[in-house]
Amino acid sequence: MSAYNIVSIAGSDPSGGAGVQADLKAFSAHGTFGMTVVTALTAQSTRGVTGVHPVPARFVAHQMDTLFADAAVHAVKVGMLGTSEVTEAVAEAIDHHALPNVVVDPVMVAKSGDRLLEASAVDALRTKLLPRADLVTPNLPEAADLLEEPEATDLASMRAQAWRLLELGPRRVLLKGGHLAGGESVDVLVSRDADPVEFRAPRVATRNTHGTGCTLSSSIAALLPQRPDVAAAVGGAKDYLTEAIRRADEIDAGGGQGPVHHFHAWW
Ligand SMILES: Nc1ncnc2c1ncn2[C@@H]1O[C@H](COP(=O)(O)OP(=O)(O)O)[C@@H](O)[C@H]1O
Ligand SMILES: Cc1ncc(COP(=O)(O)OP(=O)(O)O)c(N)n1
């Protein structure tokens, strides 16, 4: 029996590299039982997103109420939300169901450049969801949008932005540096209740990085109930993701930007 149930509240990616599909793979790879609340359907492949079909907020709330009335939940990963109505419904559910270990990946734009969150929903994300997050995991463009300032261009400006993001209300911020150049990919963790920590990994030369953000945030959610503290969960998730990126070229899921290898420890 798996001791931990982890829920992904996110969109569907038919290509299997991002969204709830990636989250379920990462939850399973970390020995936990994955559950999903689907917030949007996308038409998507390794080449990009060709359509988004949001789930009505009332039905997202219905999925959450039905699931949370029955299952014990040990952590939650929140990904693509699509609209401000869905963002508000998820924020309400976090309070109403007293959800633990809430990791918010503030998904706004896919690597292909396609928008996954309406521009008008950024404010709801900033004001309603972030203050309810135990950890928020923006990439550099998402951090810039949330702060309404230019994107960080080096590690020093990343560190400064991570602290400013903390002022928006989450308990901790992991600012991801995948979009910077350099031999290492560095992520910065700042917390209200612990010293800052930086996580470094060799930058892997591959175009197959579709779903890295989803995989990192869902891995952290799966490890939070299993590790002594947040830094240990982030470190474990980063190590797992780096190996998944290193082995990504073994998967052939299409002709564009391919997924990472979630089951590198088994196959
Ligand atoms: N080429 C790479 N090699 C190693 N790690 C990477 C690479 N690209 C991204 N990462 C790591 O993957 C995670 C997500 O990266 P990032 O690209 O910043 O976010 P997102 O996928 O949300 O755009 C971070 O831990 C980042 O450091
Ligand atoms: C349904 C869905 N959710 C999220 C994303 C974005 O995922 P991310 O991990 O940030 O990876 P990239 O798309 O940036 O490679 C998505 N594409 N689809």
Side-chain angles (χ1 to χ4, degrees):
M1 193 169 82
S2 166
Y4 300 110
N5 298 327
I6 317 294
V7 181
S8 166
I9 304 175
S12 162
D13 169 10
S15 76
V20 292
Q21 289 84 352
D23 295 344
L24 284 176
K25 291 170 195 174
F27 294 160
S28 304
H30 293 292
T32 64
F33 187 75
M35 300 171 168
T36 58
V37 169
V38 177
T39 56
L41 304 180
T42 71
Q44 180 171 180
S45 73
T46 63
R47 296 174 194 273
V49 180
T50 58
V52 174
H53 189 64
V55 174
R58 273 176 38 204
F59 197 73
V60 174
H62 186 66
Q63 291 179 70
M64 292 188 290
D65 290 342
T66 302
L67 179 63
F68 299 144
D70 180 44
V73 169
H74 301 97
V76 179
K77 174 257 165 81
V78 180
M80 174 186 177
L81 296 172
T83 66
S84 54
E85 292 80 5
V86 169
T87 305
E88 283 167 18
V90 171
E92 271 171 38
I94 291 170
D95 287 353
H96 183 70
H97 298 284
L99 299 178
N101 292 323
V102 176
V103 179
V104 174
D105 185 11
V107 173
M108 295 184 190
V109 181
K111 278 205 185 70
S112 52
D114 303 284
R115 259 215 100 80
L116 299 175
L117 181 75
E118 290 173 358
S120 58
V122 175
D123 195 50
L125 187 59
R126 186 189 297 118
T127 60
K128 302 274 173 36
L129 205 53
L130 257 52
R132 292 174 166 84
D134 290 301
L135 175 69
V136 62
T137 63
N139 63 23
L140 296 184
E142 289 158 355
D145 269 15
L146 288 167
L147 291 168
E148 298 179 298
E149 55 185 60
E151 213 173 298
T153 50
D154 55 22
L155 194 51
S157 49
M158 264 182 82
R159 290 181 183 124
Q161 285 201 340
W163 287 110
R164 285 199 286 281
L165 285 163
L166 203 58
E167 289 167 18
L168 297 177
R171 194 156 162 214
R172 305 174 189 93
V173 175
L174 180 71
L175 183 51
K176 301 173 295 190
H179 292 240
L180 282 185
E184 284 186 319
S185 194
V186 185
D187 305 337
V188 175
L189 176 69
V190 297
S191 312
R192 295 177 177 281
D193 48 10
D195 291 334
V197 187
E198 290 179 5
F199 300 87
R200 293 166 182 272
R203 187 175 294 279
V204 181
T206 178
R207 71 191 297 229
N208 298 321
T209 56
H210 175 57
T212 47
C214 297
T215 301
L216 183 70
S217 54
S218 53
S219 296
I220 296 169
L223 290 175
L224 277 175
Q226 309 189 57
R227 297 284 164 104
D229 57 36
V230 175
V234 173
K238 174 97 173 163
D239 290 347
Y240 162 80
L241 174 64
T242 302
E243 187 60 12
I245 298 172
R246 212 180 59 74
R247 299 270 303 274
D249 297 357
E250 294 173 27
I251 308 282
D252 180 4
Q257 191 168 34
V260 303
H261 192 332
H262 292 94
F263 295 115
H264 55 76
W266 290 270
W267 299 2

